[in-house]
Amino acid sequence: MNTTNEASVPIAVFNSRSFRLPFLMSIFIIMQISMGAMFFPIIVGAPIWISAGVLFASIFLSIGLLAGHCSYSLHPQGITQQIRSFSWMPVFKKTTVRHFSWQDIQTYKMGSDLSRSMEQYNYLYISVRRFPYQLRLSDHQWDKQAFLHFVQAFEAQVTAQATQQKSPISTSSSSNTVLDAAPNMSIKRKPSFYERPIAHVVFWILAIGSGLLAWFMTEYELTQARYLNRFSVIIIPGLSYFAYRLYIKK
């Protein structure tokens, strides 16, 4: 039986984009490079449009180097991450492949949230013991069915690993047979923000603060259109979604 070919067949595959480095580190590096590059034309007295062009060009180039098309493959042995650079320059065109066994995976967190465009998306964050320490998957602007299939397959594998950890391992010797417990490497699911008690505290602080703000606007006759628009477009929808996530969609 060809076990190599069987092991190479993924259980699920999800394609998206990803940074090569940890997320916050990548954002910090891009900001430093772009801001530093922008200051050169400012120092030499170049027109503002040149400085702005250098800023956007450096951001574009930095993203091309640090990010790429990413493919996550789920196997019985773990997860494989493959990132292909966005950069069109052959010298910077590289592919990074990382494999994480189930022993490398510590915890995972999953849930849904709103994007800046007020579009709800689902996410799966997997914490690993090795660089880059977290795998960030989401279906925002990506195939939602493929993401759902990957998440379901991932949870099934986590359950299978937990069952395997609880099962004793039989080791035979010439004199006797010993039953050893598998090492405790269970993968735990961390609660999302909306599932934590602190979310209720934050919600009621914001709700009381919004009520006080509405009273203040009424008491001091701050009923101009710009104030009412901000209150009705930003605060009320935000609190409504917050309450929906806490008390309706649990």
Side-chain angles (χ1 to χ4, degrees):
M1 183 173 64
N2 191 348
T3 57
T4 303
N5 291 337
E6 290 180 0
S8 64
V9 178
I11 301 171
V13 177
F14 178 68
N15 298 314
S16 63
R17 292 188 292 261
S18 178
F19 287 109
R20 297 181 182 280
L21 305 177
F23 179 75
L24 293 179
M25 181 186 297
S26 300
I27 297 299
F28 178 78
I29 292 174
I30 292 173
M31 289 178 60
Q32 295 301 310
I33 292 175
S34 57
M35 296 299 291
M38 182 186 67
F39 278 118
F40 282 106
I42 293 177
I43 292 173
V44 300
I48 188 64
W49 63 268
I50 293 181
S51 300
V54 171
L55 173 65
F56 288 111
S58 58
I59 292 175
F60 182 76
L61 292 174
S62 299
I63 292 176
L65 295 174
L66 295 178
H69 300 285
C70 183
S71 177
Y72 294 97
S73 301
L74 182 67
H75 299 269
Q77 296 78 21
I79 298 176
T80 299
Q81 180 193 49
Q82 181 175 353
I83 304 176
R84 293 177 287 109
S85 298
F86 287 139
S87 178
W88 68 93
M89 295 177 287
V91 67
F92 295 120
K93 197 78 172 177
K94 62 176 294 187
T95 299
T96 301
V97 180
R98 304 184 181 110
H99 179 73
F100 303 94
S101 67
W102 294 110
Q103 286 73 26
D104 293 325
I105 299 174
Q106 294 178 296
T107 61
Y108 70 97
K109 180 169 61 176
M110 55 188 296
S112 60
D113 214 332
L114 284 181
S115 65
R116 288 187 296 271
S117 59
M118 303 300 290
E119 177 185 358
Q120 184 166 291
Y121 66 92
N122 301 299
Y123 64 84
L124 171 65
Y125 297 159
I126 304 172
S127 297
V128 294
R129 291 183 169 84
R130 297 189 289 110
F131 190 86
Y133 307 113
Q134 189 181 64
L135 308 179
R136 300 170 66 94
L137 295 78
S138 79
D139 63 359
H140 181 49
Q141 299 179 345
W142 295 101
D143 190 340
K144 296 185 181 298
Q145 285 300 118
F147 177 81
L148 178 61
H149 176 61
F150 189 96
V151 170
Q152 291 174 341
F154 173 78
E155 287 194 295
Q157 287 296 311
V158 169
T159 302
Q161 291 297 317
T163 303
Q164 182 178 354
Q165 292 294 329
K166 294 178 181 179
S167 302
I169 300 175
S170 175
T171 56
S172 300
S173 63
S174 57
S175 58
N176 55 8
T177 299
V178 181
L179 294 180
D180 294 332
N184 185 16
M185 303 289 286
S186 60
I187 302 171
K188 295 180 173 58
R189 180 182 185 272
K190 296 176 65 177
S192 66
F193 172 75
Y194 297 104
E195 296 171 332
R196 298 170 59 188
I198 189 64
H200 296 268
V201 176
V202 173
F203 169 77
W204 285 109
I205 290 175
L206 293 176
I208 294 172
S210 300
L212 292 175
L213 178 60
W215 173 84
F216 182 83
M217 291 171 58
T218 304
E219 185 71 16
Y220 291 92
E221 299 182 353
L222 299 175
T223 56
Q224 293 91 333
R226 66 178 183 273
Y227 297 121
L228 293 178
N229 288 339
R230 291 172 185 172
F231 191 84
S232 59
V233 174
I234 299 176
I235 296 179
I236 293 179
L239 276 178
S240 300
Y241 178 76
F242 208 157
Y244 167 74
R245 291 300 308 273
L246 285 177
Y247 303 109
I248 299 178
K249 184 185 178 181
K250 295 184 179 181

Coordinates of all heavy atoms in Angstrom, one line a residue, residues 140-205:
H140 N -13.4 36.3 4.6 CA -13.7 37.7 4.1 C -13.1 37.8 2.7 O -11.9 37.7 2.4 CB -13.0 38.7 5.0 CG -13.3 40.1 4.6 ND1 -14.5 40.6 4.3 CD2 -12.4 41.2 4.4 CE1 -14.4 41.9 3.9 NE2 -13.2 42.2 4.0
Q141 N -14.0 38.0 1.7 CA -13.7 38.1 0.3 C -13.1 36.8 -0.3 O -12.4 36.8 -1.3 CB -12.7 39.2 0.0 CG -13.3 40.6 0.4 CD -12.3 41.7 0.2 OE1 -11.1 41.5 0.0 NE2 -12.8 43.0 0.2
W142 N -13.4 35.7 0.4 CA -12.9 34.4 -0.1 C -14.0 33.4 -0.1 O -15.1 33.7 0.3 CB -11.7 33.9 0.8 CG -10.5 34.8 0.6 CD1 -10.1 35.7 1.5 CD2 -9.6 34.8 -0.4 NE1 -9.0 36.4 1.1 CE2 -8.7 35.8 -0.1 CE3 -9.5 34.1 -1.6 CZ2 -7.6 36.2 -1.0 CZ3 -8.4 34.5 -2.5 CH2 -7.5 35.4 -2.1
D143 N -13.7 32.2 -0.6 CA -14.7 31.1 -0.8 C -15.3 30.7 0.6 O -14.6 30.0 1.4 CB -14.1 29.9 -1.5 CG -15.1 28.9 -1.9 OD1 -16.2 28.9 -1.4 OD2 -14.9 28.1 -2.8
K144 N -16.5 31.1 0.9 CA -17.1 30.7 2.2 C -17.4 29.2 2.3 O -17.2 28.7 3.4 CB -18.4 31.5 2.3 CG -18.2 33.0 2.4 CD -19.5 33.8 2.7 CE -19.3 35.3 2.7 NZ -18.3 35.7 3.8
Q145 N -17.7 28.6 1.3 CA -18.0 27.1 1.4 C -16.7 26.4 1.6 O -16.6 25.4 2.4 CB -18.6 26.6 0.1 CG -20.1 27.0 -0.1 CD -20.9 26.4 1.1 OE1 -21.5 27.1 1.9 NE2 -20.9 25.1 1.2
A146 N -15.6 26.8 1.0 CA -14.3 26.1 1.2 C -13.8 26.4 2.6 O -13.3 25.5 3.3 CB -13.3 26.6 0.2
F147 N -14.1 27.6 3.1 CA -13.7 27.9 4.5 C -14.5 27.1 5.5 O -13.9 26.5 6.5 CB -13.9 29.4 4.8 CG -13.6 29.8 6.2 CD1 -12.3 30.1 6.6 CD2 -14.6 29.9 7.1 CE1 -12.0 30.4 7.9 CE2 -14.4 30.3 8.4 CZ -13.1 30.5 8.8
L148 N -15.8 27.0 5.3 CA -16.6 26.2 6.2 C -16.2 24.7 6.2 O -16.1 24.1 7.2 CB -18.1 26.3 5.7 CG -19.1 25.5 6.5 CD1 -19.1 25.9 8.0 CD2 -20.5 25.6 5.9
H149 N -15.9 24.2 5.0 CA -15.4 22.8 4.9 C -14.1 22.6 5.7 O -13.9 21.6 6.4 CB -15.3 22.4 3.4 CG -14.7 21.0 3.2 ND1 -15.3 19.9 3.7 CD2 -13.5 20.6 2.6 CE1 -14.6 18.8 3.4 NE2 -13.5 19.2 2.8
F150 N -13.2 23.6 5.5 CA -11.9 23.5 6.2 C -12.1 23.5 7.7 O -11.5 22.7 8.5 CB -11.0 24.6 5.8 CG -9.6 24.5 6.3 CD1 -8.6 24.0 5.5 CD2 -9.2 25.0 7.5 CE1 -7.3 23.9 5.9 CE2 -7.9 24.8 8.0 CZ -7.0 24.3 7.2
V151 N -13.0 24.4 8.2 CA -13.2 24.5 9.7 C -13.8 23.2 10.2 O -13.4 22.7 11.3 CB -14.1 25.7 10.0 CG1 -14.6 25.7 11.4 CG2 -13.4 27.0 9.6
Q152 N -14.8 22.7 9.5 CA -15.5 21.5 10.0 C -14.5 20.3 10.0 O -14.4 19.5 10.9 CB -16.7 21.1 9.1 CG -17.8 22.1 9.2 CD -18.9 21.9 8.2 OE1 -18.7 21.2 7.2 NE2 -20.1 22.4 8.5
A153 N -13.6 20.2 9.0 CA -12.6 19.2 8.9 C -11.6 19.4 10.0 O -11.1 18.4 10.6 CB -12.0 19.1 7.5
F154 N -11.2 20.6 10.3 CA -10.2 20.9 11.3 C -10.8 20.5 12.7 O -10.1 19.8 13.5 CB -9.9 22.4 11.3 CG -9.0 22.8 12.4 CD1 -7.7 22.6 12.4 CD2 -9.6 23.5 13.6 CE1 -6.8 23.0 13.5 CE2 -8.8 23.9 14.6 CZ -7.4 23.6 14.6
E155 N -12.0 20.8 13.0 CA -12.6 20.5 14.3 C -12.7 19.0 14.4 O -12.6 18.4 15.5 CB -14.0 21.1 14.4 CG -13.9 22.6 14.7 CD -15.2 23.2 15.2 OE1 -16.2 23.2 14.4 OE2 -15.3 23.7 16.3
A156 N -13.1 18.3 13.3 CA -13.1 16.8 13.3 C -11.8 16.2 13.6 O -11.7 15.2 14.4 CB -13.7 16.3 12.0
Q157 N -10.7 16.8 13.1 CA -9.4 16.3 13.4 C -9.0 16.6 14.8 O -8.3 15.7 15.4 CB -8.4 16.9 12.4 CG -8.5 16.4 11.0 CD -8.1 14.9 10.9 OE1 -7.1 14.4 11.4 NE2 -9.0 14.1 10.2
V158 N -9.3 17.7 15.3 CA -9.0 18.1 16.7 C -9.7 17.1 17.6 O -9.1 16.6 18.6 CB -9.5 19.5 17.0 CG1 -9.4 19.8 18.5 CG2 -8.6 20.5 16.3
T159 N -11.0 16.8 17.3 CA -11.7 15.8 18.2 C -11.0 14.4 18.1 O -10.9 13.7 19.1 CB -13.2 15.7 17.7 OG1 -13.8 17.0 17.8 CG2 -13.9 14.7 18.5
A160 N -10.6 14.0 16.9 CA -9.9 12.7 16.7 C -8.6 12.7 17.5 O -8.3 11.7 18.1 CB -9.7 12.5 15.2
Q161 N -7.9 13.8 17.4 CA -6.6 13.9 18.2 C -6.9 13.8 19.7 O -6.1 13.1 20.4 CB -5.9 15.2 17.9 CG -5.4 15.3 16.4 CD -4.3 14.2 16.1 OE1 -3.4 14.0 16.9 NE2 -4.4 13.6 15.0
A162 N -7.9 14.4 20.2 CA -8.3 14.4 21.6 C -8.6 12.9 22.0 O -8.2 12.5 23.1 CB -9.4 15.3 21.9
T163 N -9.4 12.2 21.2 CA -9.7 10.9 21.4 C -8.5 10.0 21.4 O -8.3 9.1 22.3 CB -10.7 10.3 20.4 OG1 -11.9 11.2 20.4 CG2 -11.1 8.9 20.7
Q164 N -7.6 10.2 20.5 CA -6.4 9.5 20.4 C -5.5 9.7 21.7 O -4.8 8.8 22.2 CB -5.6 9.8 19.2 CG -4.3 9.0 19.0 CD -3.6 9.4 17.7 OE1 -4.1 10.1 16.9 NE2 -2.4 8.8 17.5
Q165 N -5.5 10.9 22.2 CA -4.7 11.2 23.4 C -5.2 10.5 24.6 O -4.4 10.1 25.5 CB -4.7 12.8 23.6 CG -4.0 13.6 22.6 CD -2.5 13.4 22.6 OE1 -1.9 13.0 23.6 NE2 -1.9 13.5 21.4
K166 N -6.5 10.3 24.7 CA -7.1 9.6 25.8 C -6.9 8.1 25.8 O -7.0 7.4 26.8 CB -8.6 9.9 25.9 CG -8.8 11.4 26.2 CD -10.3 11.7 26.3 CE -10.6 13.1 26.5 NZ -12.1 13.4 26.5
S167 N -6.6 7.6 24.5 CA -6.4 6.1 24.4 C -5.0 5.7 24.8 O -4.0 6.4 24.4 CB -6.7 5.7 22.9 OG -8.0 6.1 22.5
P168 N -4.9 4.7 25.6 CA -3.6 4.2 26.0 C -2.8 3.6 24.8 O -3.4 3.1 23.8 CB -3.9 3.1 27.0 CG -5.2 2.6 26.6 CD -6.0 3.8 26.1
I169 N -1.5 3.7 24.8 CA -0.6 3.2 23.8 C 0.0 1.9 24.3 O 0.6 1.8 25.4 CB 0.5 4.2 23.4 CG1 -0.1 5.5 22.9 CG2 1.4 3.6 22.4 CD1 0.9 6.5 22.7
S170 N -0.2 0.8 23.5 CA 0.3 -0.5 24.0 C 1.8 -0.7 23.5 O 2.1 -0.5 22.3 CB -0.6 -1.6 23.4 OG 0.0 -2.9 23.7
T171 N 2.7 -1.0 24.4 CA 4.1 -1.2 24.1 C 4.4 -2.6 24.6 O 4.3 -2.9 25.7 CB 5.0 -0.2 24.7 OG1 4.8 -0.2 26.1 CG2 4.7 1.2 24.2
S172 N 4.9 -3.5 23.7 CA 5.2 -4.8 24.0 C 6.7 -5.1 24.2 O 7.5 -4.4 23.6 CB 4.7 -5.8 22.9 OG 3.3 -5.6 22.7
S173 N 7.0 -5.9 25.1 CA 8.4 -6.4 25.3 C 8.4 -7.9 25.4 O 7.4 -8.5 25.4 CB 8.9 -5.7 26.6 OG 8.2 -6.1 27.7
S174 N 9.6 -8.4 25.6 CA 9.7 -9.9 25.6 C 9.0 -10.4 26.9 O 8.6 -11.6 26.9 CB 11.2 -10.3 25.6 OG 11.9 -9.7 26.7
S175 N 9.0 -9.6 28.0 CA 8.5 -10.2 29.2 C 7.1 -9.8 29.5 O 6.3 -10.5 30.1 CB 9.4 -9.7 30.4 OG 9.4 -8.3 30.4
N176 N 6.7 -8.6 29.1 CA 5.3 -8.2 29.5 C 4.9 -7.1 28.5 O 5.6 -6.7 27.6 CB 5.2 -7.6 30.9 CG 6.2 -6.5 31.1 OD1 6.9 -6.0 30.2 ND2 6.4 -6.1 32.4
T177 N 3.6 -6.7 28.7 CA 3.0 -5.6 27.8 C 2.6 -4.5 28.7 O 1.9 -4.6 29.7 CB 1.7 -6.1 27.1 OG1 2.1 -7.2 26.3 CG2 1.1 -5.1 26.3
V178 N 3.1 -3.3 28.3 CA 2.8 -2.1 29.2 C 1.9 -1.1 28.4 O 2.0 -0.9 27.2 CB 4.2 -1.3 29.5 CG1 3.9 -0.1 30.3 CG2 5.1 -2.3 30.1
L179 N 0.9 -0.6 29.1 CA 0.0 0.4 28.6 C 0.4 1.8 29.0 O 0.3 2.1 30.2 CB -1.5 0.1 29.0 CG -2.1 -1.2 28.4 CD1 -3.5 -1.3 29.0 CD2 -2.1 -1.2 26.9
D180 N 0.8 2.6 28.1 CA 1.3 3.9 28.4 C 0.3 4.9 27.9 O -0.3 4.8 26.8 CB 2.6 4.2 27.7 CG 3.8 3.4 28.2 OD1 3.6 3.0 29.4 OD2 4.7 3.1 27.5
A181 N 0.1 6.0 28.7 CA -0.8 7.1 28.3 C -0.1 7.9 27.3 O 1.1 8.2 27.4 CB -1.2 7.9 29.5
A182 N -0.8 8.4 26.2 CA -0.2 9.3 25.3 C 0.1 10.6 25.9 O -0.5 11.0 26.9 CB -1.2 9.5 24.1
P183 N 1.2 11.3 25.5 CA 1.5 12.6 26.1 C 0.3 13.6 25.9 O -0.4 13.6 24.9 CB 2.7 13.1 25.3 CG 2.7 12.3 24.0 CD 2.0 11.0 24.4
N184 N 0.2 14.4 27.0 CA -1.0 15.4 27.0 C -0.7 16.6 26.1 O 0.0 17.5 26.5 CB -1.2 15.8 28.4 CG -2.5 16.7 28.5 OD1 -3.3 16.7 27.6 ND2 -2.6 17.4 29.6
M185 N -1.1 16.5 24.8 CA -0.9 17.6 23.9 C -2.3 18.0 23.3 O -2.4 18.3 22.1 CB 0.0 17.1 22.7 CG 1.4 16.6 23.2 SD 2.4 17.9 23.8 CE 2.9 18.7 22.2
S186 N -3.3 18.1 24.2 CA -4.6 18.4 23.7 C -4.7 19.8 23.2 O -4.1 20.7 23.7 CB -5.6 18.2 24.8 OG -5.3 19.0 25.9
I187 N -5.5 20.0 22.1 CA -5.7 21.3 21.5 C -7.0 21.9 22.0 O -8.1 21.3 21.9 CB -5.8 21.2 20.0 CG1 -4.5 20.5 19.4 CG2 -6.0 22.5 19.3 CD1 -4.5 20.1 18.0
K188 N -6.9 23.0 22.6 CA -8.1 23.7 23.3 C -8.6 24.8 22.4 O -7.9 25.5 21.8 CB -7.7 24.2 24.7 CG -7.3 23.1 25.7 CD -6.9 23.7 27.0 CE -6.7 22.6 28.0 NZ -5.6 21.7 27.6
R189 N -9.9 24.9 22.5 CA -10.6 26.0 21.8 C -10.8 27.2 22.7 O -11.3 27.1 23.8 CB -12.0 25.6 21.3 CG -12.7 26.7 20.5 CD -14.1 26.2 20.1 NE -14.8 27.2 19.3 CZ -15.6 28.2 19.8 NH1 -15.7 28.3 21.1 NH2 -16.2 29.1 19.0
K190 N -10.2 28.4 22.4 CA -10.3 29.6 23.2 C -11.6 30.3 22.8 O -12.0 30.3 21.6 CB -9.1 30.5 22.9 CG -7.8 29.9 23.4 CD -6.6 30.8 23.0 CE -6.7 32.1 23.8 NZ -5.5 32.9 23.5
P191 N -12.3 30.9 23.8 CA -13.5 31.7 23.4 C -13.2 32.9 22.7 O -12.1 33.6 22.8 CB -14.1 32.0 24.8 CG -12.9 32.0 25.7 CD -12.0 31.0 25.2
S192 N -14.1 33.3 21.8 CA -14.0 34.6 21.1 C -14.3 35.7 22.0 O -14.7 35.5 23.1 CB -14.9 34.6 19.8 OG -16.3 34.6 20.3
F193 N -14.1 36.9 21.5 CA -14.4 38.1 22.4 C -15.8 38.1 22.9 O -16.1 38.4 24.0 CB -14.1 39.4 21.6 CG -14.5 40.6 22.3 CD1 -13.8 41.1 23.4 CD2 -15.6 41.3 21.9 CE1 -14.2 42.3 24.1 CE2 -16.0 42.5 22.6 CZ -15.3 42.9 23.7
Y194 N -16.8 37.8 22.0 CA -18.2 37.9 22.4 C -18.6 36.8 23.3 O -19.7 36.8 23.9 CB -19.1 37.8 21.1 CG -18.9 39.0 20.2 CD1 -18.2 38.9 19.0 CD2 -19.4 40.3 20.5 CE1 -18.0 40.0 18.2 CE2 -19.2 41.3 19.7 CZ -18.5 41.2 18.5 OH -18.3 42.3 17.7
E195 N -17.8 35.7 23.4 CA -18.1 34.6 24.4 C -17.4 34.8 25.7 O -17.6 34.0 26.6 CB -17.5 33.3 23.7 CG -18.3 32.9 22.5 CD -17.6 31.8 21.8 OE1 -16.4 31.6 21.9 OE2 -18.3 31.0 21.1
R196 N -16.7 35.9 25.9 CA -16.0 36.1 27.2 C -16.8 37.1 28.1 O -17.5 37.9 27.6 CB -14.6 36.7 26.9 CG -13.7 35.8 26.2 CD -12.4 36.5 25.7 NE -11.7 37.0 26.9 CZ -10.6 37.8 26.7 NH1 -10.2 38.2 25.5 NH2 -10.0 38.2 27.8
P197 N -16.7 36.9 29.4 CA -17.5 37.8 30.3 C -17.1 39.3 30.1 O -18.0 40.2 30.3 CB -17.1 37.3 31.7 CG -16.7 35.9 31.5 CD -16.0 35.9 30.1
I198 N -15.9 39.6 29.7 CA -15.5 41.0 29.6 C -16.3 41.7 28.5 O -16.5 42.9 28.5 CB -14.0 41.1 29.2 CG1 -13.5 42.5 29.3 CG2 -13.7 40.5 27.9 CD1 -13.6 43.2 30.6
A199 N -16.9 40.9 27.5 CA -17.7 41.5 26.5 C -18.9 42.2 27.1 O -19.4 43.2 26.6 CB -18.0 40.5 25.4
H200 N -19.5 41.5 28.0 CA -20.7 42.1 28.7 C -20.4 43.4 29.4 O -21.2 44.3 29.4 CB -21.4 41.0 29.6 CG -21.9 39.8 28.9 ND1 -23.2 39.7 28.5 CD2 -21.2 38.7 28.6 CE1 -23.3 38.5 27.9 NE2 -22.2 37.9 28.0
V201 N -19.3 43.4 30.1 CA -18.8 44.6 30.8 C -18.6 45.7 29.8 O -19.1 46.9 30.1 CB -17.5 44.3 31.6 CG1 -17.1 45.6 32.3 CG2 -17.8 43.2 32.6
V202 N -17.9 45.5 28.7 CA -17.7 46.5 27.7 C -19.0 47.0 27.1 O -19.2 48.2 26.9 CB -16.7 46.0 26.6 CG1 -16.6 47.0 25.5 CG2 -15.4 45.6 27.2
F203 N -19.9 46.1 26.9 CA -21.2 46.5 26.3 C -21.9 47.4 27.2 O -22.4 48.5 26.7 CB -22.0 45.2 26.0 CG -23.5 45.6 25.6 CD1 -23.7 46.1 24.3 CD2 -24.5 45.5 26.5 CE1 -25.0 46.4 24.0 CE2 -25.8 45.8 26.1 CZ -26.1 46.3 24.9
W204 N -22.0 47.1 28.5 CA -22.8 48.0 29.4 C -22.1 49.3 29.6 O -22.8 50.3 29.8 CB -23.2 47.2 30.6 CG -24.2 46.2 30.4 CD1 -24.1 44.8 30.4 CD2 -25.6 46.5 30.1 NE1 -25.3 44.2 30.1 CE2 -26.2 45.2 30.0 CE3 -26.4 47.6 30.0 CZ2 -27.6 45.1 29.7 CZ3 -27.7 47.5 29.7 CH2 -28.3 46.3 29.6
I205 N -20.8 49.3 29.6 CA -20.1 50.6 29.7 C -20.4 51.5 28.5 O -20.7 52.7 28.7 CB -18.6 50.4 29.8 CG1 -18.3 49.7 31.2 CG2 -17.8 51.7 29.7 CD1 -16.8 49.4 31.4

